[in-house]
Amino acid sequence: MRVAVVSESFLPTVNGVTTSVVRVLEHLAANGHEAMVVVPAAGSPRAYAGFPVHEVPALAYRQFPVGLPNSQVSGLLERFRPDVLHAASPFLLGAQAIAAANRLGVPSVAIYQTDVSGYAKRNRLSAASAFASRLTRWIHEGADLTLAPSTTALADLRAAGVSRLERWGRGVDIERYHPRRRAHAGVAGLRARLARSDEVVVGYVGRVAPEKRLERLAELRGIPGLRLVIVGDGPAMPSVTRALDGMPVDFLGALHGDDLAEAYAAFDVFVHTGTEETFGQTLQEAHASGLPVVAPRAGGPIDLVATGVDGILYDPASDSELREAVAGLVASRDLRARMGEAGRRRVLGRSWSAICDQLLEHYGAVMTRRALVDTRV
């Protein structure tokens, strides 16, 4: 199978879109498929997993490169002659790629990962929100299939008028993120630097951005025995730092690879406060690490956390439920252990290999449907 992957984000930028794309490329390489990658210019490697990576012009917005439509895209697709187009979180670049694929008779699969309309609503840009909703519908209606990561995302897309939808989650590295890391010397050293032996470490991993609503962690102020740790960086850091001033909190900055896995292993509880997640990859990583998860009952976390089993979903409109959920876990080692073990069991079937096998099945389905349409014509 020949797969053209067009992504709005790629290395060296690290986020959920990039992580998903690199895992897909690794799976394609491991299973003998061919691929080509088209991404916004941001200093990406010239190849990944043995596949060529082509950069197109981009502009910077909020620390992210945004790919611009370019005649190069159509030429690359025409020369590569893919069997299917994979459009990761399509926006300007992805929309052009989907249109070019349609002209060439190539079926396309669009991966929905970014709620642009929700971003506009949060920033009180009502006109922009309506435009974003229409743009989302236009982009995804051009694709043969759109894969959404959660039931909430599926509902939002249906409400926007998008058809031909299926749910496709995200994988997690169940070997890198593993409870056994807690026994590593590096984790023990990190834990000793972060907290006393009688303290419970409550941690967050992710971008420090307005939509993550990390200022709400101030509600945890005064919980006995709690130590807060934030892993990540981003534009909301000044606001978050002010909100948490005077609390027992450590900011570790952005971490990746084994350093990130060791940070998870040093936590006792994982907490998330954002209400606009289309999925929630860090929640899966926390579960794989054997941690109970506290998250809002909104968006992607609804599919990832079972309250009372492997964590707690709190009402994001409540002034007290976040604090009550975290305080209960801080107070009970047994509850943390039970929920953490259940979280680990929950993700064991979500390896990237299994998730990418599902993706290949979706590729095959759109290729078959397009071939049947072409035969009838």
Side-chain angles (χ1 to χ4, degrees), residues 240-310:
V240 174
T241 303
R242 286 193 301 271
L244 304 184
D245 184 45
M247 291 182 65
V249 56
D250 288 280
F251 296 89
L252 300 187
L255 299 176
H256 307 289
D258 287 342
D259 290 338
L260 177 57
E262 291 197 350
Y264 277 113
F267 296 169
D268 297 299
V269 177
F270 183 83
V271 65
H272 192 80
T273 48
T275 58
E276 298 175 18
E277 300 297 319
T278 56
F279 186 64
Q281 181 65 8
T282 58
L283 278 66
Q284 287 203 137
E285 292 167 353
H287 270 157
S289 301
L291 299 174
V293 172
V294 177
R297 193 181 302 109
I302 293 173
D303 296 321
L304 300 178
V305 179
T307 292
V309 178
D310 48 41

Side-chain angles (χ1 to χ4, degrees), residues 100-188:
N102 283 330
R103 289 194 298 271
L104 295 170
V106 174
S108 57
V109 175
I111 313 298
Y112 178 76
Q113 285 183 252
T114 305
D115 182 7
V116 179
S117 178
Y119 171 84
K121 286 179 182 177
R122 175 169 44 80
N123 287 277
R124 297 184 176 90
L125 303 173
S126 57
S129 176
F131 171 74
S133 181
R134 291 195 298 272
L135 181 62
T136 296
R137 180 172 64 250
W138 175 72
I139 291 172
H140 287 273
E141 279 293 276
D144 291 73
L145 177 67
T146 289
L147 300 178
S150 65
T151 53
T152 299
L154 283 172
D156 288 344
L157 287 168
R158 289 193 184 101
V162 179
S163 56
R164 301 186 299 280
L165 295 166
E166 295 285 350
R167 184 176 164 193
W168 180 63
R170 300 293 179 270
V172 62
D173 190 335
I174 58 176
E175 292 303 317
R176 168 168 281 169
Y177 303 106
H178 199 292
R180 63 171 171 250
R181 274 194 180 268
R182 295 173 189 161
H184 291 191
V187 173

Side-chain angles (χ1 to χ4, degrees), residues 215-226:
E215 292 83 358
R216 286 206 66 176
L217 294 176
E219 296 171 25
L220 308 182
R221 190 184 302 272
I223 294 178
L226 178 147

Side-chain angles (χ1 to χ4, degrees), residues 27-38:
H27 192 75
L28 291 172
N31 287 273
H33 300 288
E34 297 180 60
M36 172 195 72
V37 189
V38 181

